Amino acid sequence: MGPRPGRRPGHTRQDRSSLVGHNRVVPYLLSGPSILMVTALLLFPVVYAVWGSLFDAEFIGGSPEFVGLGQYIELFQDPSFLWSAGRTLIFVTGVLIIGIPLGLVFAFALSRATGKLRFLRGITIVPYLISGIATAVIFRLILNRDFGEVNRVLGLFGIEELAWFSDPTLAMLASMLAQVWSDLPLVILLILGGLMTLDRDLLDAADVDGATGWKRAWRISIPLIMPQLALATILLSYQALTSLGVILALTGGGPVDATRTLPIALYEAAFIDLETNKALAIVVVILLFNALLTLVYWGISRRYELEAA
Amino acid sequence: MSITAPSAVAPERRPAGPRAAKISRWLRRIAIWVPLLGLAIWTIYPLLMTLSISFKTKADVSADPGLIPSDPTLDGYRSVLERQGFQDAFVNSMVVGLGTALLTVVLAVPAAYAFARFRFRGRHLLLLFTLLPRLIPGLGLMVPMYRIAVVLGAIDLLLTLIVAFTATVLPLAVWLFVGFFQQVPRELEEAANVDGSSLYARIRYIVLPLAFPAIITVGVLAFREAWNEFNLVLALTSSPGSRTLPYELFLMTQTTGFQDNPGQAAFAIMTIIPFIFVYLRLEKYVVSGLTSGALK
């Protein structure tokens, strides 16, 4: 006999346990298809990737042989892989340096936007609805050397015709900006959510004590929304770490490999050089970084009980 | 009293000299208005510029850089519509988007119901479901899924895309539904249970109607994933007739380079427009769903 957690005593025509409690078949029938699908299409490919990364083919199209960790050893001695790893680190760091302060400022402003200005909250999410490729196209246009709006504005300050896509540093910056634009809605809404839970009375008390503006934000609000800020940081790192479309369509990894991050290296190994096993090893490396971020993310949200909904 | 501007500031509490108070009130207003203006420009201006360029002639893009095209034309849109592949991609995107939304809801509702209402051995999998989308991004799936699809002969099938996208959205969808079902009062169902209605009838006539907002939310979420996904389309399609819009747009940027700017702008706008409509009609569902989902 399973436990009988029915809260209501009395007779029912049907077995009460069909609503709550143990049931032998029904829950499996209901959840089975989803569990099966997730197992077959999310978990199995990962297992496949790990397994496949242990093999290597002599030449393209050759039959792969078991090489153990050979693929990884080769990878970490490969200058072009290490270069991509370095570029990824720069890219992710840059996205965070631009994205977090910007998200923080916008979220603070939005939290004070009342009345008619509330419509701005609705608009905030728009970039999130737009695909990475379309985002890249938009940034190719506004960062265009000749007619791009950004250069026209910079021109007013005497900065002439920046070549965003042929200068390595600027191309990296352009990729970061496009990535931040695309993901900032998540950051803003996450931080805004934190700000909205702050205790009004506490802030008013701080007001009375004379702590206004920046001081209040630094000393009181920001420490209180640290959990959300930490989650936003990790979320943004995730998105940047696994960003392929934005960079591929914006710079294609160039110029001279300046924006050749790990996802681009993965794309090239898999679909240009057709080195599948090497690509799978890169996949596993990216998944490991990702798992690390997930652990931290999970830890933070558990610790502060931030499971939303 | 000078309360002409809409008060975006919390009421002033601190007693101070009238002039000092006035100055500090203005400073505060500026501290809010400037970032808000920045946010509006940051979010909307790139889109407005793109919209503007989409209505210009190729020559006017650099010759007439203003926001309002002096000589508006539909050439950009024409060049996209005439592109071989655009129409296919548009239809494919619609089919895959709607298919993914439908399949996701059909699979996720029963699963979430089981997780929310039953105690069974698989229940601990729910936790795994909440972590999976984070652990396994689409980027990690593209190469293995490509290899598997090749082996199965499933490359270039729209069904493959629908199934693959559904799998990637499913954990999130189940998780959203579970949260929702847990809020549906058990008493409602127990009352129906007393009346002798079957499990199917309870789900069909009590849970589903109540879950309507959640279904819309999940549907839009799944549609967005499918509509915008690039990595898996890149991996799972190889022939022109089977691609969806983001991949087709990517190919256009690769083939036309910087030559057809109005065309690329028009293409980007056309991939965004359907979403803006959905968004305007269903804003509250979309915002709550996307944020709760993405921020989980």
Side-chain angles (χ1 to χ4, degrees):
Chain A
M1 280 288 286
R4 315 275 298 193
R7 276 177 286 170
R8 204 175 27 75
H11 301 285
T12 57
R13 206 148 60 77
Q14 276 189 334
D15 179 9
R16 211 168 29 166
S17 66
S18 68
L19 181 54
V20 281
H22 280 286
N23 188 301
R24 296 255 169 257
V25 189
V26 177
Y28 293 100
L29 282 180
L30 292 176
S31 62
S34 287
I35 293 174
L36 207 66
M37 186 133 173
V38 166
T39 312
L41 288 148
L42 296 185
L43 294 177
F44 178 70
V46 173
V47 175
Y48 179 92
V50 174
W51 179 246
S53 71
L54 303 177
F55 290 80
D56 197 11
E58 286 281 329
F59 49 91
I60 293 164
S63 62
E65 283 167 37
F66 187 81
V67 292
L69 294 177
Q71 197 74 254
Y72 295 93
I73 294 167
E74 214 171 283
L75 217 48
F76 281 94
Q77 289 169 347
D78 176 4
S80 92
F81 174 82
L82 295 175
W83 166 263
S84 287
R87 291 279 109 183
T88 309
L89 192 65
I90 293 172
F91 179 69
V92 174
T93 312
V95 166
L96 292 178
I97 289 175
I98 301 169
I100 294 298
L102 209 53
L104 204 53
V105 170
F106 287 163
F108 263 104
L110 275 180
S111 75
R112 293 307 196 78
T114 48
K116 281 184 193 156
L117 288 175
R118 286 182 72 92
F119 85 99
L120 279 171
R121 281 186 203 182
I123 285 179
T124 305
I125 202 169
V126 168
Y128 185 65
L129 300 175
I130 297 171
S131 72
I133 305 294
T135 301
V137 168
I138 291 170
F139 273 78
R140 276 161 73 105
L141 295 171
I142 63 170
L143 293 176
N144 185 283
R145 179 181 187 155
D146 304 319
F147 59 79
E149 199 59 19
V150 173
N151 272 7
R152 293 210 311 145
V153 172
L154 290 176
L156 299 177
F157 298 95
I159 302 169
E160 294 294 330
E161 300 206 340
L162 295 180
W164 286 93
F165 301 108
S166 43
D167 179 87
T169 313
L170 287 177
M172 179 54 104
L173 185 59
S175 310
M176 291 168 181
L177 285 173
Q179 184 69 34
V180 169
W181 191 77
S182 170
D183 290 324
L184 202 62
L186 301 181
V187 174
I188 295 175
L189 291 170
L190 188 55
I191 297 176
L192 186 61
L195 287 173
M196 301 317 272
T197 62
L198 291 189
D199 193 353
R200 259 287 25 119
D201 292 343
L202 186 70
L203 297 183
D204 287 342
D207 255 2
V208 173
D209 290 344
T212 48
W214 289 114
K215 216 172 179 182
R216 197 178 74 174
W218 268 120
R219 298 266 176 82
I220 299 167
S221 300
I222 291 184
L224 284 174
I225 56 161
M226 259 316 168
Q228 283 86 358
L229 214 49
L231 285 193
T233 306
I234 294 177
L235 199 71
L236 207 51
S237 322
Y238 263 133
Q239 300 288 101
L241 174 67
T242 61
S243 166
L244 173 63
V246 172
I247 302 179
L248 195 61
L250 193 68
T251 64
V256 284
D257 287 348
T259 55
R260 190 177 182 274
T261 56
L262 283 177
I264 303 279
L266 165 65
Y267 164 79
E268 285 177 1
F271 299 108
I272 308 285
D273 305 335
L274 302 178
E275 294 182 276
T276 308
N277 300 99
K278 180 182 170 188
L280 289 174
I282 302 178
V283 166
V284 173
V285 172
I286 293 177
L287 286 176
L288 282 177
F289 280 128
N290 209 52
L292 206 67
L293 285 174
T294 307
L295 279 180
V296 180
Y297 190 94
W298 193 50
I300 296 172
S301 52
R302 285 239 121 180
R303 181 153 163 220
Y304 295 98
E305 290 170 358
L306 281 176
E307 289 293 326
Chain B
M1 293 289 278
S2 61
I3 317 182
T4 41
S7 169
V9 190
E12 191 70 44
R13 294 271 166 105
R14 219 154 25 106
R19 175 168 292 176
K22 210 171 185 179
I23 291 174
S24 103
R25 198 183 311 141
W26 272 106
L27 280 178
R28 282 222 219 168
R29 249 176 224 165
I30 289 170
I32 291 161
W33 278 83
V34 168
L36 282 181
L37 191 68
L39 174 63
I41 293 174
W42 163 268
T43 306
I44 297 302
Y45 207 69
L47 290 172
L48 283 182
M49 261 342 274
T50 308
L51 190 65
S52 159
I53 290 172
S54 75
F55 286 115
K56 289 176 181 173
T57 60
K58 282 181 197 174
D60 270 357
V61 171
S62 27
D64 168 38
L67 185 60
I68 312 288
S70 55
D71 181 22
T73 166
L74 289 173
D75 284 355
Y77 290 89
R78 210 167 286 133
S79 84
V80 174
L81 290 172
E82 280 167 5
R83 250 184 94 78
Q84 209 178 7
F86 174 80
Q87 290 170 22
D88 284 346
F90 194 88
V91 173
N92 288 346
S93 275
M94 276 292 171
V95 171
V96 172
L98 295 175
T100 304
L102 192 69
L103 187 59
T104 303
V105 169
V106 166
L107 287 173
V109 164
Y113 187 81
F115 284 130
R117 284 285 188 268
F118 291 94
R119 289 187 202 166
F120 63 110
R121 258 170 215 218
R123 216 179 166 279
H124 59 270
L125 285 174
L126 185 61
L127 179 65
L128 186 67
F129 266 51
T130 65
L131 287 177
L132 270 183
R134 293 264 164 263
L135 276 171
I136 309 172
L139 182 77
L141 290 171
M142 62 190 279
V143 184
M145 272 195 179
Y146 164 69
R147 299 298 308 168
I148 295 167
V150 167
V151 172
L152 296 176
I155 294 286
D156 277 346
L157 298 177
L158 289 186
L159 185 64
T160 307
L161 292 181
I162 293 177
V163 170
F165 295 165
T166 302
T168 58
V169 216
L170 204 50
L172 190 60
V174 169
W175 185 83
L176 282 173
F177 277 127
V178 168
F180 193 86
F181 289 158
Q182 279 169 346
Q183 288 166 12
V184 174
R186 231 162 240 253
E187 286 74 12
L188 272 180
E189 282 186 66
E190 283 169 342
N193 209 13
V194 178
D195 294 342
S197 47
S198 65
L199 176 69
Y200 169 78
R202 289 205 307 273
I203 295 183
R204 170 76 183 76
Y205 295 106
I206 298 176
V207 178
L208 279 190
L210 285 170
F212 183 72
I215 292 175
I216 297 292
T217 301
V218 168
V220 172
L221 191 83
F223 186 84
R224 173 195 163 274
E225 283 295 314
W227 187 266
N228 285 346
E229 174 65 43
F230 170 72
N231 299 347
L232 292 179
V233 181
L234 178 76
L236 298 174
T237 64
S238 63
S239 70
S242 57
R243 297 169 189 138
T244 59
L245 287 171
Y247 192 37
E248 193 63 32
L249 178 56
F250 171 67
L251 289 180
M252 186 177 181
T253 66
Q254 300 303 296
T255 51
T256 65
F258 287 105
Q259 285 142 33
D260 189 6
N261 291 305
Q264 290 182 21
F267 198 138
I269 293 294
M270 279 195 277
T271 66
I272 298 169
I273 290 290
F275 236 100
I276 302 295
F277 274 114
V278 173
Y279 176 66
L280 288 178
R281 282 199 58 83
L282 304 169
E283 182 185 336
K284 59 179 175 170
Y285 302 118
V286 181
V287 173
S288 70
L290 288 184
T291 52
S292 65
L295 302 181
K296 179 175 63 66

